[in-house]
Amino acid sequence: MNKTINQIALAVAVAFVPWVSSAATWVADYSIDADATYDDNFFMGEVEQDTVIYQLRPEATLSYVSPVAKSQFDARVALKRYSEFDQFDSEDPAFDWKNSYRTERSTWGINFGYSENSQRDAAELDTGNFDSNSIVETVYVNPSVSFDLTERDQLGISLNYTERDYDTNDFSDNENQSIGLNWQHRINEVLSSTAMVSFSQYDADRQAVSANQTDYLQTTVGFIYQHSKAMTINGSLGHFETDSEAQLFFGPIVLVTDTESSGTLLQLGVSYSYEKDLFRFNLSRGLYPSSQGVVDERDSVGLDYEHQFSGRSTSGINISWHNSDSLLDERETVTLSPFYRYRLTEKLRLQTTYIFRSFDRESTATEVESNRIRVGLRYSF
């Protein structure tokens, strides 16, 4: 499948070259973020250790828009310094290039990306390992195409390839590749039905420790309901099946195990945007390819609310809950994050955030918490 995805991605990329290279005008935006964060439990342990995190993130965005084509290239680097734990200091570059091209009956797209990040930044949702200073390199390519079959029916095909490599052997280098087919039918002006089927293959390798392969199939049916201009409700219900082969290395001995599982997929989303208020709610149950060499089942609930007091002043809150059910462990995370933004000048913005985190790992039967206070400035050139 990897070879197939790369060939299709290359073909789509070649198709984009003529209009991108001939684009006469690109719009450029530049910004820089600087913030300081106090964390009272940096390692999310029972014995709390605090630190101050300083971050500087310059970013540049180049975009091109025409009646039929869109292209946006975003490049950034995050410079992080820790007052108490300089072994975690890092310079994390990243870029994303997103492209779409519209014909009379079809829309073609291809997205590329690369990033370097500290693995501990994803520890809450991934392994729960907050002590590692491993750096993960992530590469992705996602070509897609959708066809307008009729005035009411749309068929889409998507390919996704993601590769994650770690600079230590604390985690499993992994690749996840998938092909998906989705269909949408507009029943009337406010209601549409959806259906999706995808097949994925996840390969993970941890040198001298384990090698795993998981094939998984997902199917869903759902709806999109445009309740009003301000509110949209969407949902889906489905089924998944996984087939995993795990190899554990004990010197010259290799232990091989095969595991099959199945379960329910669920997604419900509500979005509301009207005048000065923005509200989003999402409930989901799905699969997550982790850095532990396994594909986890995950339940998630998210709620975001934002209110604009004036043209300069905005406040809101983000709330999330995640429960990951893995063959290796079960983990639960709760995050509560109120924020306030104020535009000091046309180009300079102040943002303050409080972040409460709770992490519970079933294997140790311990729940740990942390509090973060962040103050930052964003300057747009």
Side-chain angles (χ1 to χ4, degrees), residues 91-274:
E91 299 80 32
D92 302 331
F95 78 84
D96 299 284
W97 188 21
K98 300 180 179 180
N99 304 275
S100 66
Y101 179 73
R102 174 72 182 174
T103 69
E104 184 178 355
R105 300 291 297 272
S106 65
T107 300
W108 299 77
I110 186 167
N111 301 330
F112 303 92
Y114 170 85
S115 64
E116 293 181 18
N117 295 99
S118 171
Q119 174 60 14
R120 75 175 309 279
D121 292 340
E124 296 170 49
L125 300 182
D126 192 30
T127 64
N129 185 348
F130 295 90
D131 299 333
S132 174
N133 62 351
S134 177
I135 299 298
V136 54
E137 294 185 4
T138 303
V139 177
Y140 73 86
V141 55
N142 302 330
S144 64
V145 59
S146 64
F147 301 98
D148 296 328
L149 302 178
T150 68
E151 292 184 355
R152 293 177 177 268
D153 293 279
Q154 186 177 77
L155 179 68
I157 303 171
S158 61
L159 302 173
N160 299 280
Y161 174 78
T162 303
E163 179 179 326
R164 295 186 293 185
D165 295 313
Y166 304 84
D167 65 353
T168 70
N169 204 38
D170 296 339
F171 308 95
S172 298
D173 296 338
N174 59 81
E175 297 179 358
N176 192 70
Q177 45 202 323
S178 65
I179 180 169
L181 186 68
N182 59 80
W183 167 80
Q184 180 175 320
H185 174 71
R186 183 166 59 86
I187 299 173
N188 53 42
E189 295 299 322
V190 298
L191 183 63
S192 298
S193 61
T194 62
M196 181 277 295
V197 59
S198 70
F199 175 76
S200 305
Q201 185 179 82
Y202 169 76
D203 294 285
D205 179 46
R206 188 173 176 185
Q207 188 176 3
V209 178
S210 64
N212 301 332
Q213 179 177 305
T214 302
D215 298 328
Y216 54 103
L217 177 70
Q218 302 178 83
T219 59
T220 65
V221 293
F223 69 93
I224 302 172
Y225 177 53
Q226 188 72 45
H227 180 267
S228 64
K229 290 184 178 180
M231 177 180 289
T232 301
I233 304 172
N234 63 84
S236 64
L237 184 65
H239 177 78
F240 73 83
E241 295 182 358
T242 68
D243 184 1
S244 303
E245 179 183 278
Q247 300 180 39
L248 299 178
F249 306 129
F250 300 95
I253 302 175
V254 179
L255 177 63
V256 180
T257 60
D258 290 300
T259 305
E260 295 183 358
S261 66
S262 61
T264 301
L265 300 170
L266 173 68
Q267 189 272 329
L268 177 65
V270 179
S271 62
Y272 175 84
S273 178
Y274 183 72

Side-chain angles (χ1 to χ4, degrees), residues 36-55:
T37 303
Y38 172 75
D39 190 337
D40 69 357
N41 192 359
F42 181 67
F43 294 110
M44 292 295 285
E46 293 185 80
V47 178
E48 297 182 359
Q49 300 182 67
D50 63 351
T51 190
V52 178
I53 308 166
Y54 303 97
Q55 178 174 268

